[in-house]
PDB file of all heavy atoms in Angstrom:
ATOM      1  N   HIS A   1      39.581  33.937 -69.538  1.00 97.00           N
ATOM      2  CA  HIS A   1      40.281  34.060 -68.232  1.00 97.00           C
ATOM      3  C   HIS A   1      39.681  33.034 -67.293  1.00 97.00           C
ATOM      4  O   HIS A   1      38.429  32.817 -67.311  1.00 97.00           O
ATOM      5  CB  HIS A   1      40.134  35.448 -67.682  1.00 97.00           C
ATOM      6  CG  HIS A   1      41.074  35.803 -66.618  1.00 97.00           C
ATOM      7  ND1 HIS A   1      40.870  35.386 -65.302  1.00 97.00           N
ATOM      8  CD2 HIS A   1      42.217  36.490 -66.550  1.00 97.00           C
ATOM      9  CE1 HIS A   1      41.872  35.869 -64.547  1.00 97.00           C
ATOM     10  NE2 HIS A   1      42.731  36.556 -65.290  1.00 97.00           N
ATOM     11  N   PRO A   2      40.404  32.402 -66.403  1.00 96.00           N
ATOM     12  CA  PRO A   2      39.914  31.454 -65.413  1.00 96.00           C
ATOM     13  C   PRO A   2      38.969  32.086 -64.373  1.00 96.00           C
ATOM     14  O   PRO A   2      38.113  31.404 -63.812  1.00 96.00           O
ATOM     15  CB  PRO A   2      41.117  30.813 -64.775  1.00 96.00           C
ATOM     16  CG  PRO A   2      42.247  31.826 -64.983  1.00 96.00           C
ATOM     17  CD  PRO A   2      41.942  32.422 -66.295  1.00 96.00           C
ATOM     18  N   ALA A   3      39.176  33.411 -64.137  1.00 96.00           N
ATOM     19  CA  ALA A   3      38.283  34.107 -63.158  1.00 96.00           C
ATOM     20  C   ALA A   3      37.881  35.452 -63.798  1.00 96.00           C
ATOM     21  O   ALA A   3      38.345  36.515 -63.396  1.00 96.00           O
ATOM     22  CB  ALA A   3      39.012  34.369 -61.884  1.00 96.00           C
ATOM     23  N   PRO A   4      37.044  35.398 -64.843  1.00 97.00           N
ATOM     24  CA  PRO A   4      36.741  36.618 -65.658  1.00 97.00           C
ATOM     25  C   PRO A   4      36.124  37.750 -64.853  1.00 97.00           C
ATOM     26  O   PRO A   4      36.393  38.914 -65.122  1.00 97.00           O
ATOM     27  CB  PRO A   4      35.890  36.105 -66.742  1.00 97.00           C
ATOM     28  CG  PRO A   4      35.251  34.888 -66.182  1.00 97.00           C
ATOM     29  CD  PRO A   4      36.282  34.240 -65.355  1.00 97.00           C
ATOM     30  N   ILE A   5      35.236  37.434 -63.913  1.00 97.00           N
ATOM     31  CA  ILE A   5      34.550  38.532 -63.168  1.00 97.00           C
ATOM     32  C   ILE A   5      35.520  39.239 -62.227  1.00 97.00           C
ATOM     33  O   ILE A   5      35.546  40.432 -62.077  1.00 97.00           O
ATOM     34  CB  ILE A   5      33.347  37.994 -62.429  1.00 97.00           C
ATOM     35  CG1 ILE A   5      32.315  37.441 -63.420  1.00 97.00           C
ATOM     36  CG2 ILE A   5      32.713  39.077 -61.546  1.00 97.00           C
ATOM     37  CD1 ILE A   5      31.139  36.802 -62.806  1.00 97.00           C
ATOM     38  N   THR A   6      36.415  38.438 -61.576  1.00 97.00           N
ATOM     39  CA  THR A   6      37.436  39.012 -60.739  1.00 97.00           C
ATOM     40  C   THR A   6      38.373  39.934 -61.549  1.00 97.00           C
ATOM     41  O   THR A   6      38.758  41.012 -61.122  1.00 97.00           O
ATOM     42  CB  THR A   6      38.272  37.936 -60.065  1.00 97.00           C
ATOM     43  OG1 THR A   6      37.415  37.140 -59.246  1.00 97.00           O
ATOM     44  CG2 THR A   6      39.398  38.523 -59.199  1.00 97.00           C
ATOM     45  N   GLU A   7      38.732  39.475 -62.754  1.00 98.00           N
ATOM     46  CA  GLU A   7      39.601  40.279 -63.666  1.00 98.00           C
ATOM     47  C   GLU A   7      38.819  41.480 -64.094  1.00 98.00           C
ATOM     48  O   GLU A   7      39.446  42.604 -64.212  1.00 98.00           O
ATOM     49  CB  GLU A   7      40.038  39.475 -64.838  1.00 98.00           C
ATOM     50  CG  GLU A   7      40.870  40.142 -65.846  1.00 98.00           C
ATOM     51  CD  GLU A   7      42.230  40.683 -65.313  1.00 98.00           C
ATOM     52  OE1 GLU A   7      42.580  40.393 -64.169  1.00 98.00           O
ATOM     53  OE2 GLU A   7      42.922  41.373 -66.074  1.00 98.00           O
ATOM     54  N   LEU A   8      37.554  41.385 -64.391  1.00 98.00           N
ATOM     55  CA  LEU A   8      36.774  42.574 -64.789  1.00 98.00           C
ATOM     56  C   LEU A   8      36.706  43.584 -63.680  1.00 98.00           C
ATOM     57  O   LEU A   8      36.768  44.783 -63.917  1.00 98.00           O
ATOM     58  CB  LEU A   8      35.344  42.122 -65.211  1.00 98.00           C
ATOM     59  CG  LEU A   8      34.467  43.161 -65.787  1.00 98.00           C
ATOM     60  CD1 LEU A   8      35.014  43.754 -67.090  1.00 98.00           C
ATOM     61  CD2 LEU A   8      33.063  42.597 -66.141  1.00 98.00           C
ATOM     62  N   ASP A   9      36.613  43.127 -62.460  1.00 97.00           N
ATOM     63  CA  ASP A   9      36.593  43.988 -61.255  1.00 97.00           C
ATOM     64  C   ASP A   9      37.950  44.743 -61.242  1.00 97.00           C
ATOM     65  O   ASP A   9      37.946  45.988 -60.945  1.00 97.00           O
ATOM     66  CB  ASP A   9      36.484  43.102 -60.001  1.00 97.00           C
ATOM     67  CG  ASP A   9      35.611  43.817 -58.928  1.00 97.00           C
ATOM     68  OD1 ASP A   9      35.353  44.989 -59.099  1.00 97.00           O
ATOM     69  OD2 ASP A   9      35.283  43.147 -57.970  1.00 97.00           O
ATOM     70  N   ARG A  10      39.018  44.075 -61.471  1.00 98.00           N
ATOM     71  CA  ARG A  10      40.325  44.719 -61.494  1.00 98.00           C
ATOM     72  C   ARG A  10      40.449  45.821 -62.609  1.00 98.00           C
ATOM     73  O   ARG A  10      40.922  46.920 -62.347  1.00 98.00           O
ATOM     74  CB  ARG A  10      41.476  43.703 -61.669  1.00 98.00           C
ATOM     75  CG  ARG A  10      42.891  44.302 -61.532  1.00 98.00           C
ATOM     76  CD  ARG A  10      43.968  43.276 -61.958  1.00 98.00           C
ATOM     77  NE  ARG A  10      43.923  43.078 -63.327  1.00 98.00           N
ATOM     78  CZ  ARG A  10      44.540  43.838 -64.292  1.00 98.00           C
ATOM     79  NH1 ARG A  10      45.123  44.929 -63.915  1.00 98.00           N
ATOM     80  NH2 ARG A  10      44.491  43.581 -65.536  1.00 98.00           N
ATOM     81  N   LEU A  11      39.958  45.470 -63.760  1.00 98.00           N
ATOM     82  CA  LEU A  11      39.945  46.399 -64.884  1.00 98.00           C
ATOM     83  C   LEU A  11      39.119  47.630 -64.594  1.00 98.00           C
ATOM     84  O   LEU A  11      39.549  48.767 -64.941  1.00 98.00           O
ATOM     85  CB  LEU A  11      39.520  45.726 -66.160  1.00 98.00           C
ATOM     86  CG  LEU A  11      40.418  44.623 -66.729  1.00 98.00           C
ATOM     87  CD1 LEU A  11      39.775  44.026 -67.970  1.00 98.00           C
ATOM     88  CD2 LEU A  11      41.793  45.195 -67.053  1.00 98.00           C
ATOM     89  N   LEU A  12      37.993  47.430 -63.967  1.00 98.00           N
ATOM     90  CA  LEU A  12      37.176  48.587 -63.645  1.00 98.00           C
ATOM     91  C   LEU A  12      37.880  49.559 -62.653  1.00 98.00           C
ATOM     92  O   LEU A  12      37.757  50.761 -62.746  1.00 98.00           O
ATOM     93  CB  LEU A  12      35.810  48.103 -63.051  1.00 98.00           C
ATOM     94  CG  LEU A  12      34.872  49.263 -62.642  1.00 98.00           C
ATOM     95  CD1 LEU A  12      34.527  50.192 -63.826  1.00 98.00           C
ATOM     96  CD2 LEU A  12      33.586  48.678 -62.032  1.00 98.00           C
ATOM     97  N   ALA A  13      38.619  48.932 -61.652  1.00 96.00           N
ATOM     98  CA  ALA A  13      39.363  49.749 -60.736  1.00 96.00           C
ATOM     99  C   ALA A  13      40.423  50.550 -61.451  1.00 96.00           C
ATOM    100  O   ALA A  13      40.621  51.731 -61.141  1.00 96.00           O
ATOM    101  CB  ALA A  13      39.987  48.904 -59.654  1.00 96.00           C
ATOM    102  N   VAL A  14      41.088  49.980 -62.428  1.00 96.00           N
ATOM    103  CA  VAL A  14      42.151  50.659 -63.185  1.00 96.00           C
ATOM    104  C   VAL A  14      41.479  51.782 -64.006  1.00 96.00           C
ATOM    105  O   VAL A  14      41.950  52.913 -64.085  1.00 96.00           O
ATOM    106  CB  VAL A  14      42.916  49.684 -64.098  1.00 96.00           C
ATOM    107  CG1 VAL A  14      43.877  50.489 -64.949  1.00 96.00           C
ATOM    108  CG2 VAL A  14      43.657  48.714 -63.225  1.00 96.00           C
ATOM    109  N   HIS A  15      40.372  51.472 -64.662  1.00 96.00           N
ATOM    110  CA  HIS A  15      39.630  52.416 -65.461  1.00 96.00           C
ATOM    111  C   HIS A  15      39.194  53.578 -64.637  1.00 96.00           C
ATOM    112  O   HIS A  15      39.359  54.750 -65.022  1.00 96.00           O
ATOM    113  CB  HIS A  15      38.436  51.743 -66.125  1.00 96.00           C
ATOM    114  CG  HIS A  15      37.675  52.648 -67.059  1.00 96.00           C
ATOM    115  ND1 HIS A  15      36.809  53.601 -66.628  1.00 96.00           N
ATOM    116  CD2 HIS A  15      37.688  52.714 -68.386  1.00 96.00           C
ATOM    117  CE1 HIS A  15      36.271  54.213 -67.708  1.00 96.00           C
ATOM    118  NE2 HIS A  15      36.806  53.695 -68.747  1.00 96.00           N
ATOM    119  N   THR A  16      38.712  53.351 -63.441  1.00 95.00           N
ATOM    120  CA  THR A  16      38.265  54.406 -62.558  1.00 95.00           C
ATOM    121  C   THR A  16      39.388  55.321 -62.158  1.00 95.00           C
ATOM    122  O   THR A  16      39.266  56.521 -62.110  1.00 95.00           O
ATOM    123  CB  THR A  16      37.603  53.777 -61.284  1.00 95.00           C
ATOM    124  OG1 THR A  16      36.493  53.019 -61.670  1.00 95.00           O
ATOM    125  CG2 THR A  16      37.139  54.898 -60.310  1.00 95.00           C
ATOM    126  N   LEU A  17      40.535  54.676 -61.850  1.00 93.00           N
ATOM    127  CA  LEU A  17      41.745  55.460 -61.508  1.00 93.00           C
ATOM    128  C   LEU A  17      42.166  56.383 -62.624  1.00 93.00           C
ATOM    129  O   LEU A  17      42.433  57.614 -62.413  1.00 93.00           O
ATOM    130  CB  LEU A  17      42.924  54.542 -61.145  1.00 93.00           C
ATOM    131  CG  LEU A  17      44.283  55.207 -60.995  1.00 93.00           C
ATOM    132  CD1 LEU A  17      44.304  56.056 -59.748  1.00 93.00           C
ATOM    133  CD2 LEU A  17      45.386  54.111 -60.879  1.00 93.00           C
ATOM    134  N   LEU A  18      42.217  55.883 -63.873  1.00 93.00           N
ATOM    135  CA  LEU A  18      42.734  56.630 -64.931  1.00 93.00           C
ATOM    136  C   LEU A  18      41.798  57.607 -65.606  1.00 93.00           C
ATOM    137  O   LEU A  18      42.163  58.676 -66.002  1.00 93.00           O
ATOM    138  CB  LEU A  18      43.256  55.675 -66.045  1.00 93.00           C
ATOM    139  CG  LEU A  18      44.428  54.742 -65.690  1.00 93.00           C
ATOM    140  CD1 LEU A  18      44.754  53.829 -66.793  1.00 93.00           C
ATOM    141  CD2 LEU A  18      45.664  55.570 -65.297  1.00 93.00           C
ATOM    142  N   PHE A  19      40.503  57.191 -65.687  1.00 93.00           N
ATOM    143  CA  PHE A  19      39.632  57.982 -66.534  1.00 93.00           C
ATOM    144  C   PHE A  19      38.448  58.650 -65.855  1.00 93.00           C
ATOM    145  O   PHE A  19      37.697  59.399 -66.470  1.00 93.00           O
ATOM    146  CB  PHE A  19      39.064  57.097 -67.622  1.00 93.00           C
ATOM    147  CG  PHE A  19      40.162  56.443 -68.437  1.00 93.00           C
ATOM    148  CD1 PHE A  19      40.277  55.109 -68.563  1.00 93.00           C
ATOM    149  CD2 PHE A  19      41.094  57.234 -69.134  1.00 93.00           C
ATOM    150  CE1 PHE A  19      41.327  54.514 -69.348  1.00 93.00           C
ATOM    151  CE2 PHE A  19      42.102  56.669 -69.924  1.00 93.00           C
ATOM    152  CZ  PHE A  19      42.261  55.282 -69.990  1.00 93.00           C
ATOM    153  N   SER A  20      38.237  58.432 -64.565  1.00 91.00           N
ATOM    154  CA  SER A  20      37.160  59.162 -63.859  1.00 91.00           C
ATOM    155  C   SER A  20      37.507  60.616 -63.745  1.00 91.00           C
ATOM    156  O   SER A  20      38.675  60.972 -63.548  1.00 91.00           O
ATOM    157  CB  SER A  20      36.972  58.523 -62.451  1.00 91.00           C
ATOM    158  OG  SER A  20      36.406  57.268 -62.580  1.00 91.00           O
ATOM    159  N   ARG A  21      36.509  61.456 -63.873  1.00 89.00           N
ATOM    160  CA  ARG A  21      36.694  62.884 -63.704  1.00 89.00           C
ATOM    161  C   ARG A  21      36.764  63.128 -62.195  1.00 89.00           C
ATOM    162  O   ARG A  21      36.029  62.557 -61.381  1.00 89.00           O
ATOM    163  CB  ARG A  21      35.518  63.662 -64.334  1.00 89.00           C
ATOM    164  CG  ARG A  21      35.205  63.184 -65.729  1.00 89.00           C
ATOM    165  CD  ARG A  21      36.266  63.630 -66.750  1.00 89.00           C
ATOM    166  NE  ARG A  21      36.182  62.900 -68.025  1.00 89.00           N
ATOM    167  CZ  ARG A  21      35.225  63.200 -68.960  1.00 89.00           C
ATOM    168  NH1 ARG A  21      34.287  64.099 -68.781  1.00 89.00           N
ATOM    169  NH2 ARG A  21      35.210  62.503 -70.076  1.00 89.00           N
ATOM    170  N   PRO A  22      37.590  64.055 -61.752  1.00 91.00           N
ATOM    171  CA  PRO A  22      37.805  64.313 -60.370  1.00 91.00           C
ATOM    172  C   PRO A  22      36.580  64.978 -59.705  1.00 91.00           C
ATOM    173  O   PRO A  22      35.852  65.695 -60.419  1.00 91.00           O
ATOM    174  CB  PRO A  22      39.017  65.244 -60.288  1.00 91.00           C
ATOM    175  CG  PRO A  22      39.077  65.882 -61.618  1.00 91.00           C
ATOM    176  CD  PRO A  22      38.574  64.874 -62.645  1.00 91.00           C
ATOM    177  N   ASP A  23      36.392  64.704 -58.441  1.00 92.00           N
ATOM    178  CA  ASP A  23      35.345  65.362 -57.694  1.00 92.00           C
ATOM    179  C   ASP A  23      35.756  66.815 -57.392  1.00 92.00           C
ATOM    180  O   ASP A  23      36.743  67.036 -56.700  1.00 92.00           O
ATOM    181  CB  ASP A  23      35.119  64.600 -56.356  1.00 92.00           C
ATOM    182  CG  ASP A  23      34.050  65.235 -55.477  1.00 92.00           C
ATOM    183  OD1 ASP A  23      33.534  66.320 -55.801  1.00 92.00           O
ATOM    184  OD2 ASP A  23      33.730  64.597 -54.458  1.00 92.00           O
ATOM    185  N   PRO A  24      35.055  67.815 -57.900  1.00 94.00           N
ATOM    186  CA  PRO A  24      35.453  69.215 -57.654  1.00 94.00           C
ATOM    187  C   PRO A  24      35.652  69.582 -56.227  1.00 94.00           C
ATOM    188  O   PRO A  24      36.534  70.429 -55.912  1.00 94.00           O
ATOM    189  CB  PRO A  24      34.278  69.993 -58.323  1.00 94.00           C
ATOM    190  CG  PRO A  24      33.694  69.108 -59.309  1.00 94.00           C
ATOM    191  CD  PRO A  24      33.816  67.689 -58.732  1.00 94.00           C
ATOM    192  N   ALA A  25      34.925  68.930 -55.363  1.00 95.00           N
ATOM    193  CA  ALA A  25      35.016  69.265 -53.893  1.00 95.00           C
ATOM    194  C   ALA A  25      36.323  68.827 -53.340  1.00 95.00           C
ATOM    195  O   ALA A  25      36.728  69.316 -52.238  1.00 95.00           O
ATOM    196  CB  ALA A  25      33.877  68.591 -53.154  1.00 95.00           C
ATOM    197  N   THR A  26      37.039  67.928 -53.978  1.00 96.00           N
ATOM    198  CA  THR A  26      38.310  67.444 -53.440  1.00 96.00           C
ATOM    199  C   THR A  26      39.551  68.087 -54.013  1.00 96.00           C
ATOM    200  O   THR A  26      40.649  67.822 -53.572  1.00 96.00           O
ATOM    201  CB  THR A  26      38.418  65.932 -53.611  1.00 96.00           C
ATOM    202  OG1 THR A  26      38.547  65.632 -54.989  1.00 96.00           O
ATOM    203  CG2 THR A  26      37.194  65.197 -53.062  1.00 96.00           C
ATOM    204  N   LEU A  27      39.396  68.894 -55.073  1.00 97.00           N
ATOM    205  CA  LEU A  27      40.559  69.492 -55.741  1.00 97.00           C
ATOM    206  C   LEU A  27      41.335  70.393 -54.858  1.00 97.00           C
ATOM    207  O   LEU A  27      40.780  71.131 -54.017  1.00 97.00           O
ATOM    208  CB  LEU A  27      40.073  70.239 -56.975  1.00 97.00           C
ATOM    209  CG  LEU A  27      39.430  69.348 -58.099  1.00 97.00           C
ATOM    210  CD1 LEU A  27      38.891  70.243 -59.163  1.00 97.00           C
ATOM    211  CD2 LEU A  27      40.509  68.403 -58.672  1.00 97.00           C
ATOM    212  N   LEU A  28      42.662  70.456 -55.010  1.00 96.00           N
ATOM    213  CA  LEU A  28      43.536  71.261 -54.216  1.00 96.00           C
ATOM    214  C   LEU A  28      44.155  72.333 -55.037  1.00 96.00           C
ATOM    215  O   LEU A  28      44.527  72.129 -56.225  1.00 96.00           O
ATOM    216  CB  LEU A  28      44.668  70.354 -53.642  1.00 96.00           C
ATOM    217  CG  LEU A  28      44.209  69.160 -52.844  1.00 96.00           C
ATOM    218  CD1 LEU A  28      45.420  68.253 -52.556  1.00 96.00           C
ATOM    219  CD2 LEU A  28      43.534  69.601 -51.537  1.00 96.00           C
ATOM    220  N   ASP A  29      44.283  73.574 -54.496  1.00 96.00           N
ATOM    221  CA  ASP A  29      44.894  74.666 -55.230  1.00 96.00           C
ATOM    222  C   ASP A  29      46.374  74.378 -55.422  1.00 96.00           C
ATOM    223  O   ASP A  29      47.088  74.017 -54.487  1.00 96.00           O
ATOM    224  CB  ASP A  29      44.728  75.985 -54.473  1.00 96.00           C
ATOM    225  CG  ASP A  29      43.288  76.424 -54.499  1.00 96.00           C
ATOM    226  OD1 ASP A  29      42.540  76.084 -55.445  1.00 96.00           O
ATOM    227  OD2 ASP A  29      42.890  77.135 -53.541  1.00 96.00           O
ATOM    228  N   LEU A  30      46.837  74.511 -56.682  1.00 96.00           N
ATOM    229  CA  LEU A  30      48.243  74.204 -56.971  1.00 96.00           C
ATOM    230  C   LEU A  30      49.047  75.456 -56.799  1.00 96.00           C
ATOM    231  O   LEU A  30      49.503  76.126 -57.764  1.00 96.00           O
ATOM    232  CB  LEU A  30      48.340  73.650 -58.433  1.00 96.00           C
ATOM    233  CG  LEU A  30      49.677  72.983 -58.820  1.00 96.00           C
ATOM    234  CD1 LEU A  30      50.015  71.855 -57.855  1.00 96.00           C
ATOM    235  CD2 LEU A  30      49.581  72.424 -60.282  1.00 96.00           C
ATOM    236  N   THR A  31      49.250  75.843 -55.554  1.00 95.00           N
ATOM    237  CA  THR A  31      49.974  77.062 -55.187  1.00 95.00           C
ATOM    238  C   THR A  31      50.865  76.750 -53.981  1.00 95.00           C
ATOM    239  O   THR A  31      50.747  75.718 -53.292  1.00 95.00           O
ATOM    240  CB  THR A  31      48.997  78.188 -54.797  1.00 95.00           C
ATOM    241  OG1 THR A  31      48.170  77.759 -53.722  1.00 95.00           O
ATOM    242  CG2 THR A  31      48.191  78.558 -55.968  1.00 95.00           C
ATOM    243  N   GLY A  32      51.765  77.777 -53.650  1.00 95.00           N
ATOM    244  CA  GLY A  32      52.497  77.680 -52.455  1.00 95.00           C
ATOM    245  C   GLY A  32      53.334  76.437 -52.240  1.00 95.00           C
ATOM    246  O   GLY A  32      54.004  75.971 -53.185  1.00 95.00           O
ATOM    247  N   ALA A  33      53.295  75.902 -51.005  1.00 96.00           N
ATOM    248  CA  ALA A  33      54.113  74.731 -50.716  1.00 96.00           C
ATOM    249  C   ALA A  33      53.746  73.537 -51.541  1.00 96.00           C
ATOM    250  O   ALA A  33      54.633  72.714 -51.912  1.00 96.00           O
ATOM    251  CB  ALA A  33      53.997  74.407 -49.181  1.00 96.00           C
TER     252      ALA A  33
END
């Protein structure tokens, strides 16, 4: 890739979005509205 570190940065952001485990403190109860 012509800018491999920039591309690696993008891939890490995608990986974090898809595969990071959620922070328990931020979870919302799936009830009501």
Side-chain angles (χ1 to χ4, degrees):
H1 195 281
I5 297 176
T6 299
E7 178 63 5
L8 187 60
D9 216 350
R10 185 190 71 82
L11 291 177
L12 179 59
V14 175
H15 185 280
T16 300
L17 170 67
L18 295 177
F19 303 122
S20 291
R21 311 289 164 77
D23 179 353
T26 67
L27 294 173
L28 305 170
D29 291 332
L30 195 54
T31 57

